[in-house]
Amino acid sequence: MSRLWDKGAPLDERVLRYTAGEDHKLDERLVAYDIRASVAHAEMLHAQQLLSAADLDAIRSGLNALAAEHERGEWHIELADEDGQTALERRLSERIGTAGARIHLGRSRNDQVLTAVRLYLRDAIATLAAGATQASHALDELAEREHGTALPGYTHLQQAMPSTVALWAGGFAAELRDDALGLGQVLRRVDLSPLGSAAGYGTPGLPVDREATRAALGFASVHAPVTAVQLSRGKAESQLLFEITLLLQDLGRFAADVLLFATSEFGFVSLGEAFTTGSSIMPQKRNPDVFELIRGRTATAQGCLLEALAVCAKLPSGYHRDLQLLKFPLFRGIDLALETLAIVPPAVASLTFHPERIHLDDSIHAAEEANRLVVSEGIPFREAYRRIAARLKR
């Protein structure tokens, strides 16, 4: 099978397997975005009188047909294709003939795949932010449902000050909304059009109109100069994975609280049976696996972030095949975040608090009592602090 760079020399099958790796599978999620960018590129070539109207029509109809067929599962990218870009151009050329070979004028796989990734990331960011917002709504609903339920506030895992389920859940809800905002801020790096930068040094001798493709694809601006495009690789990806890590850390801390509160020693909360699993040896057991795995996902998110950062560390300028490896941690981090966000709202809805089991120590009001002394007697806080501390020792 001919690849985009093929010059006639045979390729060792072992080299193909090693260099392509999982790229053909990972690129499946990019097909629709790659086709959208390819159509915009072809329309720009026609506007610049580099592609005939007949060829444009053939390319556009051929790509749109391939997009519909791929969505229906009628074809997939094969290892022999090496990647999604080769798969599309090969199938397009088989379908429309010579016109299919004209579409690659003025672009490289480097700017082609990066454009598809950035189009995909725009949608992924919006979905992730919406998921974080939905999870915050689930916590708001929990706060409303349990608005009258008292809860100890802890510092150092010791009862410290009185709180409520509403305050506890509301704090996590606020942080998830902050996470949604953080995810949106990644768009600053994603919303730049790399098309026309080609392999990183532009398209000498061709009147490529980068602004036209930018506008057609709805990017905020053109990524310039062309040499900045490859230097930027890994930055948006790592920033997104960082925000995903923060999001999953917030969810992990929430899950850690739930797991503590659900122990038989605490007994503050119970989980719906549909969101627990059983033991193969202990008939009485119902295990809070969902919340344990929410807690554990933080580690995977951190691993994805570190992997993405490490791929780009100390690379010289220009394109390098190492950059292909960014897709592994990027897609994995996005997928695990989406899976976690999907399970959080129903898991939160399954929680039932038991006010009769929630005990607040008598000493939990100590800080409040010290504040009242300051207000009622006008003494310094440190004096009030000492008085309350002495009273508690008796």
Side-chain angles (χ1 to χ4, degrees):
M1 182 180 293
S2 178
R3 282 164 282 275
L4 299 186
W5 49 267
D6 201 348
K7 302 176 182 66
L11 180 68
D12 190 309
E13 188 68 20
R14 293 166 296 183
V15 173
L16 172 62
R17 289 191 176 277
Y18 187 73
T19 56
E22 298 295 311
D23 228 34
H24 61 295
K25 296 178 181 177
L26 295 172
D27 280 355
E28 288 285 343
R29 75 181 67 198
L30 300 178
V31 168
Y33 299 99
D34 203 336
I35 287 174
R36 181 180 166 196
S38 294
V39 170
H41 180 73
E43 289 172 345
M44 179 275 295
L45 291 178
H46 172 64
Q48 296 300 103
Q49 299 183 346
L50 297 170
L51 191 68
S52 71
D55 283 347
L56 172 61
D57 287 343
I59 288 170
R60 189 160 44 201
S61 61
L63 286 173
N64 287 335
L66 285 170
E69 291 163 11
H70 184 266
E71 187 175 4
R72 293 194 297 267
E74 295 175 8
W75 66 272
H76 295 283
I77 304 167
E78 302 167 12
L79 174 63
D81 287 316
E82 187 178 39
D83 53 38
Q85 295 74 54
T86 300
L88 276 174
E89 187 168 326
R90 177 175 68 82
R91 283 172 170 79
L92 181 64
S93 295
E94 289 172 355
R95 179 163 303 201
I96 67 172
T98 306
R102 300 186 190 280
I103 193 173
H104 205 60
L105 177 67
R107 71 177 183 182
S108 162
R109 283 187 299 174
N110 297 338
D111 63 338
Q112 184 180 351
V113 69
L114 184 53
T115 302
V117 167
R118 288 184 178 176
L119 290 172
Y120 160 73
L121 287 180
R122 288 196 315 198
D123 285 350
I125 289 167
T127 304
L128 286 164
T133 302
Q134 289 168 2
S136 76
H137 292 335
L139 286 164
D140 288 334
E141 290 169 6
L142 174 63
E144 178 63 26
R145 190 167 72 245
E146 300 285 348
H147 70 276
T149 305
L151 196 67
Y154 292 89
T155 65
H156 307 278
L157 278 180
Q158 306 297 312
Q159 289 200 12
M161 287 188 174
S163 183
T164 62
V165 173
L167 269 176
W168 170 76
F172 281 109
E175 287 307 297
L176 291 181
R177 285 189 283 272
D178 177 72
D179 293 329
L181 290 173
L183 288 162
Q185 290 170 355
V186 182
L187 285 172
R188 181 179 69 84
R189 286 195 165 102
V190 169
D191 213 10
L192 302 173
S193 176
L195 266 185
S197 63
Y201 301 95
T203 55
L206 288 177
V208 167
D209 186 350
R210 299 190 66 199
E211 174 58 26
T213 50
R214 178 212 67 78
L217 295 172
F219 283 107
S221 59
V222 168
H223 199 158
V226 289
T227 47
V229 173
Q230 297 305 319
L231 289 172
S232 76
R233 298 286 292 270
K235 292 172 75 174
E237 294 89 337
S238 296
Q239 187 180 358
L240 177 55
L241 290 170
F242 174 73
E243 295 296 342
I244 285 173
T245 299
L246 294 183
L247 167 65
L248 292 184
Q249 283 185 172
D250 284 333
L251 292 174
R253 295 184 72 180
F254 169 74
D257 276 359
V258 170
L259 292 165
L260 188 65
F261 295 163
T263 60
S264 57
E265 290 77 10
F266 276 71
F268 292 177
V269 68
S270 59
L271 286 61
E273 286 203 1
F275 281 85
T276 60
T277 63
S279 167
S280 64
I281 190 173
M282 294 168 284
Q284 84 282 11
K285 287 294 296 299
R286 297 300 299 180
N287 301 321
D289 291 1
V290 169
F291 286 93
E292 289 176 332
L293 292 173
I294 291 172
R295 181 179 60 186
R297 288 290 187 257
T298 302
T300 311
Q302 289 176 355
C304 291
L305 171 59
L306 290 175
E307 185 176 348
L309 288 169
V311 166
C312 301
K314 300 182 180 179
L315 283 180
S317 62
Y319 175 78
H320 307 274
R321 192 67 179 264
D322 313 45
L323 295 171
Q324 168 185 306
L325 302 177
L326 284 168
K327 280 187 268 189
F328 287 87
L330 177 65
F331 294 169
R332 187 183 186 199
I334 291 170
D335 289 348
L336 74 90
L338 290 174
E339 291 165 4
T340 303
L341 287 169
I343 201 67
V344 165
V348 170
S350 79
L351 298 178
T352 301
F353 277 82
H354 304 287
E356 71 280 4
R357 301 178 191 170
I358 300 173
H359 170 74
L360 276 65
D361 293 343
D362 293 339
S363 62
I364 203 168
H365 300 286
E368 182 182 359
E369 292 172 4
N371 289 337
R372 284 176 179 170
L373 277 179
V374 171
V375 173
S376 63
E377 299 186 18
I379 62 176
F381 176 76
R382 285 297 159 210
E383 174 61 25
Y385 179 98
R386 282 190 290 270
R387 286 191 197 180
I388 299 301
R391 184 188 305 167
L392 291 171
K393 285 183 178 180
R394 296 182 197 143

